[in-house]
Amino acid sequence: MENLKHLPEAVLTWYHAGHRELPWRRDRQPYHVWLSEIMLQQTRVEAVKRYYTRFLEHLPTVSHLAGCDDELLHKLWEGLGYYSRSRNLKKAAQVILQEYGGEFPREYDQVRALPGIGDYTAGAICSICYDLPVAAVDGNVMRLMARLTDDAAPIDLPERKQAVKRQLEKLYPPQAGDFTQGLMELGATLCGPNREPQCHRCPCAHFCLGYQRGTANKLPVKTPKKPKRRQQRTVFVLRCGDSYALRKRPEKGLLAGLWEFPNVEGVLELPEALNWVTQQGLKPREVLRQLHREHIFTHIHWEMTAYYLEVEQPAGDFVWHTDEQIRMHSALPTAFRQFWEETGRV
């Protein structure tokens, strides 16, 4: 649209005048940009900062990532969720090591072909690191563009995202990296989510159709979400001395390959729960606590009842980890870690 011809100058001037200082903006190393963009998917900036710093302390290069132990990788990712992201990071690092000699590829198609990298991440890496005129279109950029063009088409439709990508790539200036980061920054701050747009401070207000027509605060539009499937589970926090019973989840599916407290589908009353424990070859000594918690995944809502039990011997088809091992080495996803964090109150 005609009004968008002013977008590059407005965004670059605003971005250069001052923007958030973030750890991954200190350089344009592809490994750093890649890691930050993967971590920032579905995760708040403030939460990512400490994860990003700790991850690079342990795995400072692509080579370190490619050869790292899965337990360490899962522990470094513990609490970030969407664990397939970390597994794909390692797979992609191995491809970079094997096919590119450890040097990050510089062509868009090569970057896009790496495991776990889609259009957005490939666009971010190639524009920020190499100043290639390829757009990185995420939710923040989609929101910004919906308001700039007064477009009420649902932004979560794949064809809409592709249309915005093509639209932006016709506008890309030589300072492609700064333009990409400026769009991201503007869409995350002044034109951010779950708040009134700060149009009075926006560098694009004089050509923003949403602002001019009074529709900015009604945009963007999204397709109504389907209700999440609810599932009830009974969780067993089994303690023997200073050790707890854990088991590995299957290598495929939800929370693949991570540690968990033993659990079963459905809600067991206390006599049923004690019977289940006995069937695992364990002798319950004392019921310490019963706790109810919830955890929400993308498509599933878990309603969980946990029994904290002291048992006589560390038996059964479990691996028994000490409190120290769990704290330092065993990656528990948030759904189960919330119960471990309560063990100090038992």
Side-chain angles (χ1 to χ4, degrees), residues 8 11-12 15-16 19 24-25 27-28 33 37 120 122-136 141 171-185:
V11 168
L12 287 172
Y15 184 74
H16 291 155
H19 51 75
W24 44 88
R25 286 182 177 163
D27 58 61
R28 294 194 179 193
V33 173
E37 292 299 340
Y120 166 75
I125 293 169
C126 290
S127 59
I128 294 171
C129 303
Y130 309 133
D131 275 324
L132 297 180
V134 286
V141 174
L171 303 169
Y172 255 76
Q175 294 173 289
D178 286 350
F179 185 53
T180 288
Q181 296 202 82
L183 290 171
M184 293 176 178
E185 183 82 349

Side-chain angles (χ1 to χ4, degrees), residues 1 13 18 23 25 34 60 92 94 98 112 114 118 121 129 141 176 185 221 231 234 236 243 259 266 307 320 323 335:
M1 300 181 72
T13 300
R25 286 182 177 163
W34 171 41
Q94 291 171 338
Q98 294 163 6
R112 178 65 178 80
L114 294 171
T121 306
C129 303
V141 174
E185 183 82 349
V221 172
Q231 189 178 81
T234 300
F236 298 88
S243 297
W259 292 103
Y307 291 102
W320 294 80
D323 184 88

Side-chain angles (χ1 to χ4, degrees), residues 16-262:
H16 291 155
H19 51 75
R20 292 175 297 175
E21 292 296 326
L22 301 173
W24 44 88
R25 286 182 177 163
R26 292 171 186 163
D27 58 61
R28 294 194 179 193
Q29 290 189 39
Y31 178 44
H32 297 169
V33 173
W34 171 41
L35 176 62
S36 69
E37 292 299 340
I38 297 297
M39 285 187 166
L40 286 164
Q41 294 170 11
Q42 310 292 333
T43 311
R44 295 178 298 104
V45 167
E46 289 305 313
V48 166
K49 286 180 180 178
R50 62 186 179 89
Y51 280 97
Y52 173 83
T53 301
R54 186 179 65 154
F55 196 99
L56 287 179
E57 286 173 353
H58 286 83
L59 305 173
T61 68
V62 170
S63 296
H64 286 91
L65 173 57
C68 77
D69 178 75
D70 285 346
E71 290 294 328
L72 172 61
L73 181 64
H74 291 157
K75 192 63 181 177
L76 292 174
W77 206 267
E78 183 182 44
L80 269 177
Y82 301 92
Y83 287 85
S84 60
R85 295 183 295 171
S86 64
R87 292 190 291 273
N88 281 327
L89 274 171
K90 181 176 177 179
K91 289 177 185 176
Q94 291 171 338
V95 172
I96 293 169
L97 202 62
Q98 294 163 6
E99 297 186 13
Y100 301 101
E103 294 292 326
F104 212 95
R106 301 180 66 91
E107 300 292 332
Y108 176 85
D109 289 342
Q110 294 173 334
V111 175
R112 178 65 178 80
L114 294 171
I117 292 186
D119 291 344
Y120 166 75
T121 306
I125 293 169
C126 290
S127 59
I128 294 171
C129 303
Y130 309 133
D131 275 324
L132 297 180
V134 286
V137 182
D138 65 354
N140 288 326
V141 174
M142 289 296 294
R143 181 187 318 105
L144 175 64
M145 290 294 286
R147 290 170 175 171
L148 286 172
T149 58
D150 190 26
D151 192 333
I155 63 169
D156 48 357
L157 298 177
E159 57 268 28
R160 181 66 193 132
K161 182 173 287 189
Q162 288 301 315
V164 168
K165 187 175 187 295
R166 291 192 298 269
Q167 208 169 21
L168 283 172
E169 287 176 353
K170 294 177 181 177
L171 303 169
Y172 255 76
Q175 294 173 289
D178 286 350
F179 185 53
T180 288
Q181 296 202 82
L183 290 171
M184 293 176 178
E185 183 82 349
L186 189 56
T189 56
L190 303 186
C191 208
N194 306 316
R195 73 188 85 160
E196 288 286 318
Q198 299 178 51
C199 299
H200 62 289
R201 298 174 54 200
C202 180
C204 305
H206 64 287
F207 60 87
C208 176
L209 298 184
Y211 175 59
Q212 293 170 7
R213 297 171 182 173
T215 59
N217 62 350
K218 299 175 183 178
L219 297 169
V221 172
K222 294 183 179 180
T223 306
K225 292 184 178 180
K226 295 180 180 179
K228 298 181 188 294
R229 177 164 56 91
R230 288 182 174 267
Q231 189 178 81
Q232 295 178 317
R233 304 198 73 82
T234 300
V235 178
F236 298 88
V237 184
L238 306 173
R239 187 180 76 185
C240 184
D242 66 346
S243 297
Y244 295 87
L246 297 180
R247 68 184 184 191
K248 273 285 186 77
R249 289 185 63 84
E251 289 301 319
K252 293 185 178 180
L254 186 67
L255 305 177
L258 300 176
W259 292 103
E260 66 175 358
F261 287 119

Side-chain angles (χ1 to χ4, degrees), residues 261-282:
F261 287 119
N263 62 95
V264 296
E265 193 167 344
V267 179
L268 301 185
E269 297 298 329
L270 181 57
E272 298 173 301
L274 292 173
N275 183 53
W276 184 90
V277 173
T278 301
Q279 290 175 355
Q280 310 312 305
L282 296 166

